[in-house]
Amino acid sequence: MTHAPKSSAPPEIAVWLRELVANCLELPVDRIDPQVALTRYGLDSVRAIQLTTEIATKLQRTVPETLLLACPCVAKLESFMLELLSGETQSGDLCAMLPLDGADATLGRLLADSILPEDIWPEAVYNSGSGVRSNPENVLLTGATGFLGAYMLCSLLRSTSATVHCLVRQSDEAPLERIRRNLTKYDLWDERYAERLQGWAGDLQMPQLGLPPQGWAWLSQAVDTIFHCGATVNWVMPYDALRNVNVLGTQELLRLACQGRAKAFHFVSSLATCHTTSVVGQVTEQDESLALAAGNYLGYAQSKCVAESLVHRASERGLPATIHRPSLIIGARESAYTNTEDLLSSMICGCIAMRAAPNLDWVLDCCTVDFIAEAIVELSLTSTVPLRVSHLVNPARYHWREVVLWMNLYGFQQRLISYRQWLAELRIAASAPSHPLYRLRSFFLARPKAGCNLTLPELYEESRRNSVEAQITERELARLGLKCPALSVDLLEVFFSRLIKQGAVPAVRERLPSVDLHPIAKAEHVDLDSGFFESLLREHFGDNALHVRRLSKRRLSNQSSITTELASWRSSRRIGLWECCVEFAKSGEESTQELEFLVKVKPSDQQVIEVAEQVGAICDSRLGEMLCHHRDRLGILGCHTRELKVYSQLDQRFVAHVPRVYGVIENSEQSEWLLVLESLKQIKLMDSAHELAQWQPEDIEVVLQGLAQLHSVWFQRDAELSEQAWLRPPLTSDELEDMAGLWHALAEYSWRYFSDWVDAEACEVILNIVTEAGNWWKQLEKMPRTLIHNDFNPRNLALRMQDGAYRLVAYDWELATIGVPQHDLAEFLCFVLPQDCSQATITKYVELYRANLAVATGRQIDPVVWHTGFRLSLCYLILNRFPMYCLRHTFSCQNFLPKVIKTWWQLHKMLNAESNA
């Protein structure tokens, strides 16, 4: 709300208001028709807020920021103001005038506007195929003076030999000068473009596009392809304010397309048309967006739904067409030139200015502008169907909270706070036009759905909106050899660097200090080239004449480990996973062999700890302090060398149940730690943590057999294990008690999630486990121990067929430590057992594993001690392991976690009931 102090006499409303509007729009008073919507005169969201503020100040009353949504023209503004001053209307009553239920209130108008006039029928048709031309001669492009339009224009000029005719809004500046200036702004202008460009002054919201009759007639006969990219992109204005440009403009372009020469029509829509609260499940390219409009509360998306419907109807009448629905658009992959006024850029810049980010469940689907432009042009010009709809999405996405974490590591201090708290701060911070979120205040503050207290951003949270599928489009893009650049920390760095250069955000003064790497390591590191693999394979096969003939490699997206990817970025090195395929010939052989490898380039332990501390600090300041204080006791210390040593074991009980190891490289002087492993292919249940229902009893039994073999290698060899320099001794009961502050901070933070998944009784039990940790740990540390995986769950294990039977293969051993074998067993069962498993089922697997371990070790294992150790292992999981998962869940949804916690609670209740019986 905009507030103004009370005072006395009312102004001369009509004169004052018209002068105010004219000054704001920079137009003569007599040019403004009181009955015409102000958006027709170029009113944008910034000027709308300025007008609202001036009106509130002049009236000395409080009026809603959404005033101009209810009163879009001078006449309606004047009427409301007179009623308000006369006392007939209270300022609060204005809420009744606003379109509270945006979709339902306008649905009738949407349906009416989606009817294509009967006079829009193609006069000419193509003789064969769909009619889409891959080699157009004359292209009409709208939106060339915009952000995406600039890149589409360049893509058209590069991909075709056509003359491109650009429809540009009328102004004092010549159309071609505006186009040249816009392309220069993004460093895209090339003088060679000039000879193939034609500019046309017009207006999308006017009949016949505001063109003179002769211009309209010439274009209808000369143009063979239309790309419609122009639109009013506004996240605040309602449908009625956007209708003239986005809907009627599309209708007029379809009219042009259907007159004279046969043409193809390519329409740029938005993925926002697919996000609705009225449909559950996935929206595909085959779904018509108008059917989703009933649950879509964004005026811009509604206008695009209607425009899409018009294109559909024109296609049914014989007009070849394509519709493209791009996701959010960010800067180009190389230059990252960015539209600083779009939603995402404004959101990021606004949060940086506020030093606070809202804790929203958003997954960011962003594509670079150059990819979107190229994809639209190529998909359009190669279409072989009468109507193609494409979903341009990024297969690799980040959660909003992951981006907030990255911003902190980059050097922009961000508090992650509740959305309601953030809104309260936004009202104060974004009160001046210079603030990046000033013109978007209504988007964040308005509650568009009747009877619902949620704002638009909350309606767009992952748990409330439907999902979008893009399989058809992805197949077509693959056929064309087009691949969307993955959203990665490297791309984020380019994006943020450009925001700084463009002056949208301040330069970072103090970046978080990074780990001091050896100088050589900063400049050089192991090259995964043919020479590297040739040397590796020569040693592996004992063949000094072995020759590598071909090598291909690609870096795998490490979406499952934001910590590793961030650590990689922090060190400016290629840490992470690489998939490599090597074709080689052994000495004396003409034929070649092929091997696939997974190369794991590891970050240092200090880099991982640094990121973990930042994660904790953003989640909760006290938790961050505790993680920092106990950083050497978190189990991360030494993780970069520990996994290398684990994989160096030669005991066949271990080797048989891990990936084949081809090379281990440890060079601490140059900060290089690499593992070269076999690439696991055709493996059953690999990466199945998000599909836990796939696990069957026979699969669980195979894992328990293999795990017993792994645990048997070091079982009851505590003294030898403790002498290994690569293993940190396990926590003592005194150390565990000294860490009480950390355990309580973790419990308090994780309970915000646990309380949604288990009942209040569980809270009391967990609190007691935390409080009594020192006591029950004393019992646990007296029990037989071994080398445990310490991250043993379906994220890091699978089954592979060998000699006609399935066998466990376990990987990712960086957290390996000394502990009771029941720990790995308990974690695994929490993942794979049903959340309502019976006591008999639990006992069956606990006993089965005890029997397997007894056979593997040749030792008797006391059943009472064994069951006690299992119950206490459950305590340690809820003290440490599962709360740590909650920290990650904050930034990247771990959809398996609710089920795991529910199963943990079932196991704990059942086993304690058995113990007390």
Side-chain angles (χ1 to χ4, degrees):
M1 304 288 280
T2 303
H3 299 276
K6 288 188 177 181
S7 107
S8 52
E12 294 296 328
I13 293 298
V15 175
W16 172 82
L17 180 61
R18 295 184 191 197
E19 289 180 351
L20 171 67
V21 171
N23 289 334
C24 184
L25 296 175
E26 300 178 356
L27 292 172
V29 173
D30 58 7
R31 284 274 304 276
I32 299 172
D33 185 334
Q35 304 296 329
V36 173
L38 296 179
T39 53
R40 288 285 299 272
Y41 299 105
L43 180 74
D44 56 24
S45 52
V46 173
R47 290 175 175 176
I49 294 176
Q50 290 173 339
L51 271 179
T52 303
T53 303
E54 290 287 343
I55 290 170
T57 303
K58 196 71 174 178
L59 294 181
Q60 303 157 359
R61 303 290 177 89
T62 297
V63 299
E65 291 180 347
T66 50
L67 171 67
L68 288 169
L69 302 188
C71 306
C73 64
V74 170
K76 289 188 176 182
L77 277 174
E78 182 179 329
S79 175
F80 167 74
M81 293 167 66
L82 288 171
E83 290 180 7
L84 185 63
L85 289 171
S86 67
E88 296 178 15
T89 300
Q90 300 297 316
S91 60
D93 295 340
L94 184 63
C95 294
M97 302 170 59
L98 299 179
L100 290 176
D101 197 342
D104 295 340
T106 59
L107 189 55
R109 295 194 295 281
L110 303 186
L111 294 175
D113 288 344
S114 67
I115 300 173
L116 187 67
E118 284 299 316
D119 63 333
I120 300 180
W121 284 82
E123 293 179 358
V125 294
Y126 290 100
N127 294 324
S128 62
S130 68
V132 175
R133 297 192 56 166
S134 59
N135 58 339
E137 297 173 359
N138 286 281
V139 173
L140 176 63
L141 172 66
T142 68
T145 57
F147 181 51
L148 174 59
Y151 285 86
M152 282 190 59
L153 174 56
C154 291
S155 186
L156 281 167
L157 291 169
R158 287 194 301 265
S159 302
T160 73
S161 58
T163 298
V164 183
H165 303 263
C166 301
L167 183 68
V168 178
R169 185 186 298 173
Q170 295 173 345
S171 71
D172 295 335
E173 189 176 12
L176 283 180
E177 276 307 305
R178 288 191 63 191
I179 295 169
R180 180 197 298 265
R181 181 162 52 81
N182 190 52
L183 265 61
T184 302
K185 174 182 176 181
Y186 299 117
D187 202 19
L188 296 174
W189 177 253
D190 187 324
E191 285 297 334
R192 292 173 294 181
Y193 292 164
E195 60 187 20
R196 291 172 55 203
L197 284 176
Q198 292 291 327
W200 296 78
D203 192 336
L204 283 174
Q205 57 189 332
M206 299 294 290
Q208 294 196 338
L209 306 173
L211 294 167
Q214 63 272 26
W216 173 272
W218 190 92
L219 287 173
S220 68
Q221 295 299 327
V223 167
D224 53 33
T225 305
I226 295 176
F227 280 86
H228 181 25
C229 180
T232 297
V233 182
N234 191 295
W235 296 84
V236 175
M237 293 296 183
Y239 170 78
D240 286 342
L242 303 171
R243 172 179 179 268
N244 288 343
V245 172
N246 294 357
V247 176
L248 299 186
T250 303
Q251 182 174 287
E252 286 303 289
L253 280 162
L254 288 169
R255 190 184 306 278
L256 178 67
C258 290
Q259 290 186 7
R261 185 178 184 179
K263 305 173 187 67
F265 191 86
H266 308 296
F267 176 61
V268 181
S269 183
S270 168
L271 204 67
T273 59
C274 300
H275 295 311
T276 177
T277 59
S278 64
V279 175
V280 177
Q282 290 187 327
V283 176
T284 72
E285 296 98 326
Q286 297 170 328
D287 293 314
E288 196 165 337
S289 64
L290 189 64
L292 311 173
N296 200 320
Y297 300 95
L298 187 65
Y300 170 67
Q302 292 169 354
S303 70
K304 286 293 188 178
C305 287
V306 177
E308 280 192 22
S309 182
L310 295 175
V311 178
H312 271 276
R313 304 293 80 79
S315 174
E316 291 171 353
R317 296 177 185 183
L319 181 71
T322 63
I323 295 172
H324 306 278
R325 298 168 178 165
S327 60
L328 292 175
I329 300 175
I330 59 174
R333 71 192 87 183
E334 297 295 335
S335 67
Y337 275 107
T338 297
N339 178 11
T340 58
E341 295 185 354
D342 68 14
L343 178 65
L344 183 58
S345 295
S346 298
M347 181 69 175
I348 288 173
C349 294
C351 289
I352 290 173
M354 294 168 63
R355 293 197 171 190
N359 191 351
L360 284 167
D361 184 20
W362 284 348
V363 172
L364 297 184
D365 186 351
C366 314
C367 299
T368 61
V369 65
D370 50 336
F371 164 76
I372 293 291
E374 185 180 7
I376 289 174
V377 171
E378 292 300 321
L379 288 170
S380 298
L381 297 180
T382 59
S383 177
T384 57
V385 294
L387 176 66
R388 164 172 288 159
V389 180
S390 62
H391 285 173
L392 300 173
V393 301
N394 197 323
R397 304 165 192 173
Y398 275 154
H399 196 283
W400 163 247
R401 290 186 286 257
E402 290 180 289
V403 176
V404 175
L405 170 61
W406 186 90
M407 288 162 67
N408 276 274
L409 288 167
Y410 190 83
F412 295 113
Q413 294 183 3
Q414 293 288 291
R415 293 170 293 123
L416 189 64
I417 58 180
S418 72
Y419 187 61
R420 299 298 165 178
Q421 182 183 347
W422 186 80
L423 282 182
E425 296 189 15
L426 176 72
R427 290 178 186 273
I428 299 171
S431 58
S434 59
H435 194 279
L437 294 176
Y438 176 76
R439 59 191 175 81
L440 290 171
R441 281 167 57 108
S442 297
F443 172 76
F444 291 105
L445 295 169
R447 293 170 173 78
K449 188 176 180 181
C452 178
N453 196 37
L454 297 174
T455 62
L456 265 174
E458 290 171 298
L459 288 173
Y460 279 94
E461 288 190 291
E462 285 299 295
S463 58
R464 295 188 179 93
R465 74 175 189 179
N466 58 318
S467 58
V468 177
E469 183 198 84
Q471 290 184 2
I472 298 174
T473 307
E474 287 171 357
R475 285 197 297 269
E476 285 301 308
L477 290 172
R479 181 180 64 81
L480 294 169
L482 296 176
K483 185 176 181 181
C484 178
L487 189 59
S488 65
V489 292
D490 293 333
L491 189 58
L492 283 175
E493 181 166 26
V494 174
F495 174 64
F496 273 76
S497 297
R498 176 56 61 181
L499 285 178
I500 293 172
K501 288 181 181 178
Q502 291 179 238
V505 296
V508 176
R509 293 182 179 179
E510 295 183 9
R511 294 178 68 164
L512 192 69
S514 188
V515 177
D516 184 20
L517 297 175
H518 189 278
I520 297 177
K522 291 183 179 180
E524 301 177 4
H525 55 273
V526 172
D527 289 323
L528 303 179
D529 55 13
S530 297
F532 171 82
F533 285 102
E534 193 166 83
S535 174
L536 190 79
L537 291 175
R538 284 179 176 181
E539 181 176 353
H540 180 79
F541 289 108
D543 183 353
N544 290 329
L546 181 148
H547 176 62
V548 170
R549 294 187 177 178
R550 184 180 59 85
L551 166 68
S552 62
K553 62 182 178 180
R554 67 185 182 97
R555 192 180 186 191
L556 298 179
S557 174
N558 207 7
Q559 292 292 306
S560 62
S561 179
I562 182 68
T563 303
T564 298
E565 191 173 2
L566 286 170
S568 171
W569 169 77
R570 295 286 291 118
S571 63
S572 301
R573 297 169 64 242
R574 298 298 86 195
I575 292 169
L577 300 176
W578 294 81
E579 189 176 68
C580 304
C581 182
V582 178
E583 183 182 335
F584 64 95
K586 292 184 178 180
S587 59
E589 297 181 3
E590 288 296 324
S591 61
T592 61
Q593 300 181 43
E594 190 173 273
L595 281 176
E596 293 185 346
F597 302 99
L598 183 71
V599 181
K600 191 172 185 179
V601 186
K602 299 182 66 61
S604 74
D605 55 357
Q606 296 303 312
Q607 291 164 342
V608 178
I609 290 171
E610 181 182 284
V611 174
E613 289 173 350
Q614 278 292 302
V615 168
I618 297 170
C619 291
D620 180 85
S621 59
R622 178 168 170 259
L623 180 54
E625 292 173 3
M626 289 293 101
L627 287 170
C628 183
H629 182 69
H630 298 289
R631 66 191 329 262
D632 292 345
R633 296 172 172 176
L634 300 176
I636 302 175
L637 197 66
C639 64
H640 57 303
T641 57
R642 186 185 314 155
E643 186 174 26
L644 306 184
K645 299 297 185 183
V646 170
Y647 273 115
S648 297
Q649 296 180 92
L650 299 178
D651 191 298
Q652 285 303 304
R653 290 170 293 179
F654 176 82
V655 172
H657 295 94
V658 298
R660 185 177 294 110
V661 180
Y662 285 92
V664 175
I665 298 174
E666 180 179 358
N667 189 335
S668 296
E669 289 186 359
Q670 292 191 351
S671 300
E672 291 288 354
W673 305 280
L674 283 82
L675 278 168
V676 184
L677 307 172
E678 66 171 311
S679 181
L680 298 173
K681 299 290 185 179
Q682 298 178 336
I683 299 292
K684 181 181 179 183
L685 295 171
M686 189 170 183
D687 295 329
S688 60
H690 299 288
E691 298 173 329
L692 295 174
Q694 294 184 9
W695 282 84
Q696 300 300 314
E698 57 269 26
D699 302 321
I700 297 174
E701 291 178 12
V702 170
V703 170
L704 298 190
Q705 291 171 3
L707 183 61
Q709 292 294 314
L710 290 169
H711 283 165
S712 69
V713 176
W714 291 94
F715 188 66
Q716 289 191 324
R717 295 168 62 191
D718 300 33
E720 293 176 71
L721 271 175
S722 298
E723 292 174 358
Q724 306 302 315
W726 46 273
L727 267 182
R728 185 194 184 282
L731 293 174
T732 66
S733 55
D734 288 340
E735 288 177 312
L736 201 79
E737 288 181 347
D738 184 55
M739 297 171 70
L742 173 60
W743 309 135
H744 280 279
L746 276 172
E748 290 173 9
Y749 183 79
S750 58
W751 188 247
R752 68 183 62 187
Y753 297 114
F754 291 172
S755 60
D756 290 334
W757 307 330
V758 291
D759 54 32
E761 180 187 354
C763 179
E764 297 180 12
V765 169
I766 293 172
L767 180 60
N768 185 62
I769 288 173
V770 173
T771 304
E772 297 295 324
N775 292 328
W776 54 258
W777 186 257
K778 289 178 182 177
Q779 300 178 59
L780 200 60
E781 65 182 345
K782 294 177 182 178
M783 295 181 179
R785 292 186 287 192
T786 186
L787 178 69
I788 63 173
H789 186 283
N790 202 30
D791 196 9
F792 194 76
N793 58 67
R795 294 168 59 249
N796 301 318
L797 59 90
L799 307 180
R800 64 174 165 189
M801 181 64 69
Q802 189 169 333
D803 299 328
Y806 279 109
R807 176 180 289 183
L808 166 70
V809 54
Y811 43 92
D812 288 353
W813 286 81
E814 47 260 293
L815 296 181
T817 188
I818 303 171
V820 297
Q822 294 97 315
H823 178 92
D824 284 345
L825 173 64
E827 181 172 1
F828 174 65
L829 293 182
C830 283
F831 273 79
V832 299
L833 291 187
Q835 59 195 47
D836 58 351
C837 56
S838 66
Q839 186 167 311
T841 299
I842 300 167
T843 302
K844 167 190 170 183
Y845 288 119
V846 174
E847 275 297 298
L848 175 62
Y849 185 68
R850 183 179 71 87
N852 286 341
L853 186 59
V855 170
T857 60
R859 298 171 183 266
Q860 293 294 323
I861 300 176
D862 185 284
V864 175
V865 175
W866 179 257
H867 279 256
T868 300
F870 185 84
R871 285 192 292 105
L872 297 181
S873 293
L874 288 172
C875 292
Y876 190 51
L877 286 171
I878 207 66
L879 177 79
N880 183 3
R881 189 100 187 97
F882 294 157
M884 287 294 190
Y885 267 122
C886 287
L887 299 188
R888 180 171 176 182
H889 184 65
T890 297
F891 296 95
S892 180
C893 179
Q894 310 295 293
N895 61 17
F896 56 81
L897 193 53
K899 181 267 168 199
V900 169
I901 299 304
K902 291 175 183 178
T903 302
W904 174 88
W905 180 225
Q906 180 73 355
L907 292 175
H908 186 276
K909 286 190 297 184
M910 290 292 180
L911 290 174
N912 276 275
E914 179 185 52
S915 175
N916 295 329

